[in-house]
Amino acid sequence: MQFLFRHPLILSSIKILVVFMALSGVVAYLVYMERKVLAFMQARLGPMRVGPWGLLQPIADGLKLLLKEDIVPARADKAVFLLSPVISLVAAFSVFAAIPYGPGGWTITNPNIGILLILGLSSLGIYGIILGGWASNSHYPLIGSLRSAAQLVSYEVAAGIAVVSVLLIANSLSLVVIVNRQQQMGVWNVFLNPVAFVVYLIAGVAETNRNPFDLPEAESELTGGFHTEYSGFRFSLYFLAEYTNMVLISSLAVVLFLGGWLRPFSSLRWLWPLDYAPVVALVGAGAFVLWLGLQSRVRGERMFFAALAILCAALAGVVGIPLVLSSIQGVFWLTVKVLAVLYAFIWYRATFPRYRFDQLMTVGWRRLIPVALSSLIVTATMLIWTGYRVVPLLAANLLAGILTAWMVSVRGAGNRSRPTREAI
Amino acid sequence: MTETTFLDANELVINMGPQHPATHGVLRVKLKLSGERVLGSECVIGYLHRGVEKIAENRTYAQFAPYTDRMDYVAGVTNGMGYCEAVEKLLGVELPPRAQWTRMTLAELQRIASHLLWLGTHALDLGAITPLFYTFREREEILSIFENYCGARLTTHAFRIGGLQYDLYDEFENDIRKFCDDFLLKIDEYEQLLTTNRIWMGRTQGVGILSAEDAIALGVTGPVLRGSGVRWDLRKAQPYEAYDKVEFDVPIGEHGDTYDRYLVRIREMRQSVRIIRQCLERLEPGPIFGKVGKVIKPPAGTEVYHSIEGPKGELGYYVVSDGTVNPYRVRIRPPSFVNLQALDKMIRGHLVADVVAIIGTIDIVLGEVDR
Amino acid sequence: MTDELKSPPPGGPAEAAGPPTAPPIPAVTPPAQKQNDAPSLKPAPKPSVKPEPWVSPLVEALQERFPGAVSDCLIFRGQPYFSVRGEELIAVAEFLTSGEGGSYVFLTDLTAVDYPKREKRFEIVYQLYSFARNDRLRMKVLAADGEKVPSVTGVWAGANWLEREVYDLFGVVFDGHPDLKRILLPDGWTGHPLRKDYDILRQDTAWVRANLKIESGQ
């Protein structure tokens, strides 16, 4: 028995299974969360029918997608058509092997080239999209997949450059080291290099094909983009991959810039009450659920919410045990931060219209890349010149970022410039 | 893979519609693309053709009125008003003031509702999903006013030839006053989301430019014409009902692009509120029906063309009488149909994404285009 | 329902030539009686119930420039209209768009009316508008079945779809139209629905059966 658990393969397998299951659940409820948050911002209720407060909606959606007919267009390249969603999904999920969820054993694996592995693997997902669009043998998917390819290539550059400036600070490619470094510095990387963070976040939104960069699947233009011809189960794979990528980008942003699993102000000992945040959060969630239950007039719902509240209370009790508390500390903070970033993603979607393709390219190449480059150069210079000191790094980066942003935007902005149509 | 596919061609011909989320119904646009750039286009319409004009010849004057609601089904009140006025003109009937003010009030509310629907869907086409829900929230209030007045929300058949069927309900004025007060703030809210949004400006400015000369040559009317900088509004130019007795401005654009048309419509909504408030002030008790017989028989051999400023442009009715109870011919001059002609001119050289923006900015309703 | 309409009275006696925007007329047939001769029941005085001759400088200018081409200049409810011979249509149209002719640069509408018993059964109706004068004008061209009418797309570009619609629904062929084909009905359709001798039972039943898999009128 001991041997079994000590064997790295077995332990890893268990971890992989746990992460996979958890991730699937998270992604399913991410969709629910997105719908609820959007509804909240749009003066409506969102899913309310399946289960109390629509809580079972993700399960219903999943079942519906599984049971729907899996249509393969007559003239599609069948093998590729069937395979490509799987490519996307596998790429999206496999990346999570290298994400550190907490200190110590809370990783599946900790390769010393973690960030490279992640960037490489996640880029593979685009093959699923391109091949899927191609194999559909139809106009809209083709345009959608080409857009997607161009978009990914453009924004990976910006995102990559932004990541490099973090690597310079951490002096390592390992994500665990990057987080530890932030603890040593006593400050998160976002405060050392906010410009790189902003660039990374924007590029991340673009890489996940989210609004305002959701051109590859722009519904109003391309009906569905690359997945127009997909239905049922295969469509759900793409769907899952997209939301998994969202979680991935958020997790990476958190790990690289927002201190990963670190508690806010983790270097300040006297803020120890913050350590009890998980307990407070669970109690709060229980209270909220109880309140929801009291609002409800349906007997079944009241029971459900009461049970949920009791569950939350029980969990809070368990978490309150010092040993448990200290071990889940990291995961808790990582989750909270990831959720915050995801919330921002959803918020963008509720707020912005969609870019046009040429504008998307302009933003990528002519705005983000110069800004990211300037931030990289300044970071490197400052690291050599002043060493790892917070204030000079921050000041120089901000200054350079604002300056570059101003320089690159002056050209395009103009005073209500109305471009004339290009001659054909 | 020996068979040839569309990939072998350099130019791509794609069919946008008739089932497409952004063609606002069953419009089909054949696009010839080079990459994503539009080389040319052709509109294929008629999927919703119901032969309304033929139906008119087989109905009495009064029977045909409800059919007009089914053309521009998001602006049923103005459609019905145009038809009623045309027949009234043919008969030479004059309306009592109360009927006129009521008609204007409801017509302006309908204009707001139509513009709101346009704003929501147009923004949705450009990827902004939130304004749709806000605009529908306000549109709902207008529709419930309609419902309280005449029992229907969309195809209202609110007016009759010669006046009104129903007098106003008790809370009518209060409801509308309250709506007007709230609505101005709501417009600010929409504008906050869009007017100065960089992405919105980028997507609409310089897109789908239609010069004033082209607009006039193509017969374009309504906000599209005004967006091109022609200050022409039938409510001012050839006032009907009592529009000559109210004060309002006619907003125009400057560049003739999608952004200007957006601004024009937003401002028009504010002006409509202004008109509605004046109408409510003038609304006094009195008769609501002019002198029209129960059988409507305009004199033989007469004909009139009457047009009103619908939410989408000039909505005209050309009615020919042969002295019987059925109109000999009813020609409907649909603003959407004529405005849609300008599409090809506007989208050439633009990208596919702009096609969506431009179809949205013309503000068509296929029920009216195809009739 | 294909009642023939007598051709419009050629300039009736100018009795009670009131203002064009006529005072209310009680065009009432008392509901109890079903008499065809409505006017006899009306109380006096009668406002204009028929079109009256239209006299204006524009008419004179037209008649002077195009002798014999312009006829039936009438006005009803303040709306003037006149007929033009098909041959001179383009010339008249160009004159009307010019500043001298009132700059009717805006073609509001183009449609047709079918009078099957007349010698020239189609009346093509052009609704013109002048921004300069803020004035409307209605121009008509008579055409027999099969007779070609010159296309005005060269004068008013907006006539394109409108002429296609008239072609589609009436079968009037416009000479010189850039792309004259059906617009509302399917390309393979036969027949022109807005003709008076057309109805749902006489429509293209074969097309309906072949393409929609239903019987006409179903």
Side-chain angles (χ1 to χ4, degrees), chain C residues 120-135:
Chain C
K120 292 200 165 189
R121 65 184 287 187
F122 296 115
E123 208 173 62
I124 322 294
V125 185
Y126 302 80
Q127 313 277 3
L128 308 179
Y129 179 78
S130 161
F131 287 101
R133 293 189 179 185
N134 183 21
D135 187 29

Side-chain angles (χ1 to χ4, degrees), chain A residues 211 214 220 349 352-354, chain B residues 122-130 203:
Chain A
N211 200 299
D214 56 343
S220 53
R349 187 171 169 204
F352 294 126
R354 185 184 300 122
Chain B
H122 184 44
L124 186 68
D125 288 345
L126 295 185
I129 48 178
T130 304
R203 283 302 303 275

Side-chain angles (χ1 to χ4, degrees), chain A residues 38 41-44 75 77 134 137-140 142-143 147 211-212 214-215 219-223 349-359 367 409 412-413 416-424, chain B residues 3-7 12-16 20-22 36-37 39 124-130 133-134 137 197 199-200 202-203 205-207 209 255 257 259-260 345-346 348-351 353-354 356:
Chain A
L38 279 181
M41 292 179 175
Q42 293 168 345
R44 57 194 178 95
R75 295 179 66 188
D77 188 339
W134 164 271
N137 198 2
S138 166
H139 291 160
Y140 287 120
L142 181 77
I143 296 178
R147 279 181 174 189
N211 200 299
D214 56 343
L215 288 95
E219 193 199 340
S220 53
E221 296 155 27
L222 302 180
T223 58
R349 187 171 169 204
T351 313
F352 294 126
R354 185 184 300 122
Y355 272 114
R356 202 171 56 208
F357 194 67
D358 55 331
Q359 293 164 343
R367 310 267 198 279
S409 60
R416 246 196 124 180
S417 64
R418 300 290 174 91
T420 48
R421 277 177 271 162
E422 282 173 41
I424 308 164
Chain B
E3 54 187 325
T4 52
T5 65
F6 64 87
L7 296 168
L12 197 63
V13 175
I14 67 170
N15 255 315
M16 209 174 226
H20 188 280
E36 286 216 23
R37 203 162 283 282
L39 299 178
L124 186 68
D125 288 345
L126 295 185
I129 48 178
T130 304
F133 295 98
Y134 293 174
R137 182 182 58 195
N197 186 320
I199 303 178
W200 180 260
R203 283 302 303 275
Q205 289 184 353
V207 170
I209 297 173
H255 304 85
D257 57 7
Y259 187 70
D260 278 359
K345 184 130 212 145
M346 285 153 88
R348 268 174 202 257
H350 280 308
L351 302 176
D354 292 327
V356 172

Side-chain angles (χ1 to χ4, degrees), chain B residues 79-337:
Chain B
N79 277 339
M81 185 164 111
Y83 175 71
C84 290
E85 281 179 14
V87 179
E88 282 153 14
K89 199 163 191 173
L90 193 62
L91 293 169
V93 177
E94 231 167 58
L95 288 193
R98 185 172 173 82
Q100 285 190 333
W101 294 117
T102 309
R103 279 189 180 185
M104 281 167 65
T105 311
L106 291 175
E108 290 306 316
L109 278 176
Q110 182 71 81
R111 184 185 316 278
I112 294 176
S114 172
H115 281 2
L116 283 177
L117 186 101
W118 161 81
L119 178 63
T121 50
H122 184 44
L124 186 68
D125 288 345
L126 295 185
I129 48 178
T130 304
L132 179 80
F133 295 98
Y134 293 174
T135 58
F136 267 60
R137 182 182 58 195
E138 273 72 70
R139 180 169 173 266
E140 199 59 29
E141 287 181 32
I142 297 179
L143 295 189
S144 53
I145 290 174
F146 288 162
E147 192 177 7
N148 286 336
Y149 171 64
C150 61
R153 289 154 49 86
L154 277 179
T155 48
T156 48
H157 192 207
F159 310 131
R160 300 294 186 274
I161 294 163
L164 311 173
Q165 169 90 40
Y166 319 102
D167 208 340
L168 303 176
Y169 64 95
D170 293 341
E171 287 298 300
F172 182 79
E173 289 178 46
N174 281 344
D175 280 359
I176 295 180
R177 283 225 169 80
K178 189 169 163 300
F179 170 78
C180 289
D181 294 342
D182 294 346
F183 183 61
L184 288 178
L185 302 174
K186 300 288 170 54
I187 301 180
D188 295 340
E189 208 172 89
Y190 314 144
E191 287 214 77
Q192 217 165 15
L193 271 171
L194 297 173
T195 304
T196 51
N197 186 320
R198 284 293 295 266
I199 303 178
W200 180 260
M201 287 159 82
R203 283 302 303 275
T204 52
Q205 289 184 353
V207 170
I209 297 173
L210 189 69
S211 68
E213 295 78 41
D214 285 343
I216 290 172
L218 289 168
V220 167
T221 48
V224 184
L225 180 67
R226 291 192 283 277
S228 295
V230 182
R231 200 181 292 276
W232 186 73
D233 187 318
L234 272 170
R235 290 173 293 174
K236 282 267 192 222
Q238 305 201 322
Y240 47 95
E241 299 289 351
Y243 276 106
D244 46 348
K245 293 175 196 153
V246 292
E247 276 180 20
F248 64 100
D249 300 326
V250 179
I252 57 166
E254 195 182 330
H255 304 85
D257 57 7
T258 304
Y259 187 70
D260 278 359
R261 289 185 280 272
Y262 157 77
L263 286 183
V264 163
R265 288 195 179 98
I266 290 276
R267 289 180 190 148
E268 264 179 27
M269 289 200 277
R270 294 186 195 276
Q271 295 301 325
S272 288
V273 171
R274 209 172 139 195
I275 296 173
I276 291 169
R277 283 181 167 160
Q278 295 176 51
C279 291
L280 289 183
E281 271 167 30
R282 310 272 188 101
L283 204 56
E284 279 161 8
I288 56 168
F289 219 83
K291 288 182 180 169
V292 179
K294 291 214 169 148
V295 176
I296 297 165
K297 266 192 185 180
T302 56
E303 56 179 56
V304 290
Y305 175 80
H306 179 74
S307 59
I308 64 168
E309 183 72 33
K312 298 175 177 63
E314 174 173 347
L315 173 70
Y317 288 88
Y318 174 57
V319 186
V320 182
S321 163
D322 62 349
T324 63
V325 291
N326 302 328
Y328 188 73
R329 169 103 171 92
V330 176
R331 156 70 181 172
I332 299 139
R333 191 263 184 209
S336 299
F337 178 80

Side-chain angles (χ1 to χ4, degrees), chain A residues 29-70:
Chain A
Y29 274 88
L30 176 60
V31 178
Y32 174 78
M33 169 178 150
E34 169 160 36
R35 291 175 66 177
K36 276 290 185 193
V37 171
L38 279 181
F40 167 68
M41 292 179 175
Q42 293 168 345
R44 57 194 178 95
L45 287 173
M48 288 294 282
R49 291 282 164 177
V50 190
W53 282 74
L55 271 169
L56 304 179
Q57 185 71 41
I59 298 166
D61 283 349
L63 274 178
K64 181 201 74 175
L65 284 171
L66 282 179
L67 295 176
K68 272 170 89 171
E69 190 188 352
D70 186 11

Side-chain angles (χ1 to χ4, degrees), chain A residues 114-147:
Chain A
I115 188 74
L116 273 187
L117 183 74
I118 286 177
L119 288 182
L121 271 177
S122 67
S123 306
L124 281 181
I126 192 66
Y127 282 103
I129 289 176
I130 297 177
L131 290 175
W134 164 271
S136 302
N137 198 2
S138 166
H139 291 160
Y140 287 120
L142 181 77
I143 296 178
S145 64
L146 289 180
R147 279 181 174 189

